[in-house]
Amino acid sequence: MPATATDYSISRVRLGSRLPEVGVVLVTLIAGLIAALAPWWVAVGLILGSAVLALTVRDPLFGLLLTLALATQAIPGALIPNIPLGGAQILPCEIALLMTLLSCFLNGVSGRRPFIDVHRDFVMTALLSYVALFVSIVVGKFYLGQNDFAFPVLRNFLPLAILPLLPSILSTRQRIVLVENVFIAFGILIALFIAIQAFTSISLLTGRLEDLGLNQTTGITRTVLWGPELLIILSLFLIGRHGLRYCLSHLWPIPAFVALLLGLMGTYTRSFWVATAVAAILLAVFAHGIKGSLRLATAVVPIVLLLGTMVFAMNPRIGEAAYERAFGITQEIKSGESFGWRGKENSLALESIVKHPWLGIGFNGAYKPAISIHGHFEGEEIYIHNAYLYFQLKMGLLGSAVLTVFLTLYLRLSWSALAIADRHDRTSALSYVVLGLVVMMIGYSGQTISRFVTLLIVCLMFTLMKFYAQRH
C-alpha cells in the first residue's frame, strides 16, 4: 500500500520529537572523537560536558538551575576553572545559560514544549534592553572611540536573553516549589562558604576578598561577591514567610537562619544589612500585620543576639569588627571615608550627565580621577557605585529608558502580587517584591544591578511573581 501524505507528516513529527536526542548523540560522537586525540583533562571535560548537555536538552530546568549554581557560586567558584576562548575567559555559567537557550530552541523545534510562552512585558523588557545596549556600544565604538569594552558589558546582560523563555520553563506549581527550595539550599551554601572564609584562611569563592581595613591590616576577611548574597537574603524571606509557628514547630529553620545570618555578617556590607532589615520588616507587616510582625520579632531578635554572642565567643575580634562596621557610620561620615567618596562620585557623575545627556560617556568613559586615597581597584576612574546614575552616565537617555522599563515591570508585577487572594501565595510573591527593594537599595551604594548573577536572579524573581499572580 503506497504511503500517504499523512504517513509522511507523522514521520516528520516523530523525527522532530527525537531531534534533541539526535543532536545530543551527534555532539557526543564529535566530543568523543576530539577526546581521543586530546589530553585526558580535555577528554574528561568533553564527556562531562556532553552529559550536562544531554540533561539540559532533556529539560531546560536542569540547565537553568546549573546556571544559577555556577553564577551564585553555590558550586564554589574557586573549584570551577574558566574556559579560554580567543584570548578571553568564558565563564561556566555563561556556557550553561547558552546550553539552556539551545535546549529551549531544540524542544521548541521538536514540538516537545512550546518554544516560548509569550509574555509581552518580558519580551519587550529584554528586547528594548538589548537594543539600547547595542546602540550604546556602537556609539561608544564609532563616536567616542571606545573599542575594548563591548564584550564585558554584553556578557553581563546575557540573562535577559532567557527572560521571555522562563514562563515556559517554570510553568507548574511543582517546578516553582523546586526552584524555591533550590534558592534556600543555595542561599545556605553560599552563607556557609562566606562564613568559612571569614573564620579561616580557606578561600572558596571568587570575587573581592579583602582585609576589612583596606588600607590597614585588621586580620578580618571581607567577602564581596556582587550579587550571590541576594540568595542569602531571599532564603531568609522564603523561610520566614511561613511565620513564627512554622519556624518553631520544625527543626531546620532556626539553624538555617543562624547560618544565613552568619554568612550575611561575613560580607561586612552595611547596605546588605540595612536593606535586609528594611525589607524583612515590610514583608512581615504585609504578610502578618503589626501583631504578627511583633510575634516574629520575638524569635528573630533573640536569634540575632544569640548569633552575636556565639561569634564573639568564637572570635572576639570578628564580633568587634561586625559591631564597629554596623555602628561606625557616623564616624565615617565625619571622616569622609566611604560615604565621602560616594558623594564625590555622584557629584562628578551628575556633572558629566549634564554635559553628555543624550548619549552618555560610554561604558569605558572616565568621569573622575581615582578619588580614594590609595585607589582600591583597577579602573576606578570609570566605575560608579550608584547603579541608577550608572545607566544615565554611561548610556544617556537610552540608559534611562532601560531603567524605566525594569522599574515599570517591577511595579506592575508587585501590584499584581499585592492583589493575590490566597494568603500563602501572596506572602510568597511578596518575598520577591521585597527582594526587589533589596536590589534597588543595594544598587544605590554598589553598582551590582548590571551584573550577570544579579540580572539572572531578577529575571527569576519577575517570573515567580508573575506565576503567583497569574494563578489568581
Side-chain angles (χ1 to χ4, degrees):
M1 182 176 181
T4 65
T6 302
D7 295 329
Y8 288 121
S9 176
I10 293 174
S11 298
R12 286 196 298 270
V13 170
R14 287 175 178 172
L15 178 61
S17 65
R18 308 306 298 177
L19 183 60
E21 285 80 358
V22 171
V24 169
V25 170
L26 290 175
V27 170
T28 304
L29 288 174
I30 294 171
L33 291 174
I34 296 174
L37 305 174
W40 68 269
W41 54 271
V42 174
V44 171
L46 287 171
I47 292 172
L48 290 176
S50 299
V52 169
L53 179 62
L55 292 172
T56 302
V57 168
R58 186 167 185 83
D59 192 341
L61 181 59
F62 175 82
L64 180 65
L65 296 180
L66 178 62
T67 304
L68 184 68
L70 292 169
T72 60
Q73 299 193 63
I75 301 175
L79 305 180
I80 306 296
N82 296 336
I83 301 170
L85 181 64
Q89 294 290 324
I90 306 300
L91 302 179
C93 61
E94 295 169 340
I95 294 177
L97 184 63
L98 291 174
M99 285 196 301
T100 305
L101 291 169
L102 175 63
S103 173
C104 292
F105 174 77
L106 291 176
N107 279 285
V109 171
S110 67
R112 177 180 294 177
R113 289 188 184 89
F115 177 63
I116 183 170
D117 181 5
V118 177
H119 187 260
R120 186 180 63 182
D121 289 346
F122 283 16
V123 174
M124 293 304 296
T125 298
L127 182 61
L128 289 176
S129 298
Y130 274 117
V131 168
L133 284 166
F134 176 77
V135 172
S136 296
I137 287 171
V138 170
V139 168
K141 180 178 178 62
F142 295 103
Y143 179 72
L144 300 174
Q146 300 171 5
N147 300 316
D148 59 347
F149 212 64
F151 181 65
V153 172
L154 281 175
R155 69 194 296 179
N156 279 336
F157 283 85
L158 186 60
L160 287 180
I162 204 170
L163 177 60
L165 304 173
L166 287 177
S168 63
I169 299 176
L170 303 176
S171 56
T172 65
R173 178 79 177 195
Q174 292 78 7
R175 286 173 171 252
I176 296 297
V177 171
L178 171 62
V179 169
E180 291 185 332
N181 289 334
V182 167
F183 282 161
I184 294 172
F186 285 1
I188 293 172
L189 281 175
I190 297 163
L192 290 175
F193 295 151
I194 292 176
I196 290 172
Q197 293 188 163
F199 283 91
T200 70
S201 59
I202 300 174
S203 296
L204 297 171
L205 306 174
T206 57
R208 202 167 86 205
L209 307 179
E210 61 191 14
D211 190 274
L212 184 60
L214 294 180
N215 299 327
Q216 67 274 356
T217 302
T218 65
I220 306 299
T221 301
R222 178 191 181 199
T223 300
V224 183
L225 301 179
W226 301 293
E229 301 93 338
L230 291 174
L231 279 195
I232 298 177
I233 300 170
L234 178 59
S235 298
L236 288 169
F237 297 156
L238 291 177
I239 296 173
R241 65 182 164 170
H242 296 294
L244 178 61
R245 184 176 300 175
Y246 176 88
C247 293
L248 295 179
S249 62
H250 292 70
L251 295 177
W252 67 273
I254 303 301
F257 268 123
V258 171
L260 292 167
L261 290 172
L262 191 62
L264 196 60
M265 185 211 73
T267 64
Y268 290 101
T269 304
R270 281 181 296 242
S271 58
F272 285 175
W273 298 349
V274 173
T276 302
V278 171
I281 292 170
L282 288 175
L283 178 60
V285 172
F286 287 153
H288 306 291
I290 300 296
K291 291 183 179 179
S293 302
L294 293 175
R295 287 197 298 268
L296 191 61
T298 60
V300 173
V301 172
I303 289 176
V304 173
L305 293 176
L306 176 62
L307 176 64
T309 303
M310 290 170 52
V311 171
F312 189 83
M314 294 173 63
N315 190 324
R317 184 67 191 98
I318 290 180
E320 292 171 0
Y323 180 86
E324 293 170 0
R325 184 74 176 165
F327 296 99
I329 296 178
T330 55
Q331 182 60 36
E332 283 204 11
I333 293 175
K334 293 177 181 178
S335 65
E337 292 284 327
S338 180
F339 286 95
W341 301 337
R342 283 168 170 78
K344 293 178 183 178
E345 274 191 347
N346 291 342
S347 177
L348 293 170
L350 288 171
E351 290 179 10
S352 293
I353 289 171
V354 171
K355 294 177 182 177
H356 308 90
W358 308 110
L359 300 176
I361 64 172
F363 292 112
N364 205 27
Y367 72 100
K368 64 171 183 176
I371 59 178
S372 60
I373 298 172
H374 298 286
H376 293 326
F377 48 84
E378 183 180 356
E380 188 177 358
E381 295 81 1
I382 67 173
Y383 181 84
I384 180 169
H385 286 82
N386 186 330
Y388 306 102
L389 290 182
Y390 162 84
F391 285 99
Q392 175 67 46
L393 174 69
K394 302 293 185 177
M395 302 171 65
L397 287 179
L398 287 172
S400 298
V402 171
L403 189 60
T404 300
V405 167
F406 268 93
L407 289 177
T408 301
L409 179 58
Y410 169 75
L411 290 173
R412 291 183 63 175
L413 292 170
S414 298
W415 185 256
S416 300
L418 288 168
I420 295 174
D422 181 82
R423 182 176 179 179
H424 183 271
D425 281 359
R426 183 173 65 252
T427 305
S428 297
L430 288 174
S431 296
Y432 302 101
V433 173
V434 297
L435 179 68
L437 293 175
V438 170
V439 172
M440 286 186 279
M441 293 177 69
I442 293 173
Y444 181 79
S445 61
Q447 192 265 300
T448 58
I449 292 178
S450 62
R451 293 186 179 275
F452 183 102
V453 59
T454 304
L455 281 174
L456 179 62
I457 293 173
V458 167
C459 289
L460 288 167
M461 176 186 82
F462 284 168
T463 306
L464 271 65
M465 290 168 66
K466 173 185 177 295
F467 174 85
Y468 281 116
Q470 199 172 42
R471 292 185 72 239
H472 301 273

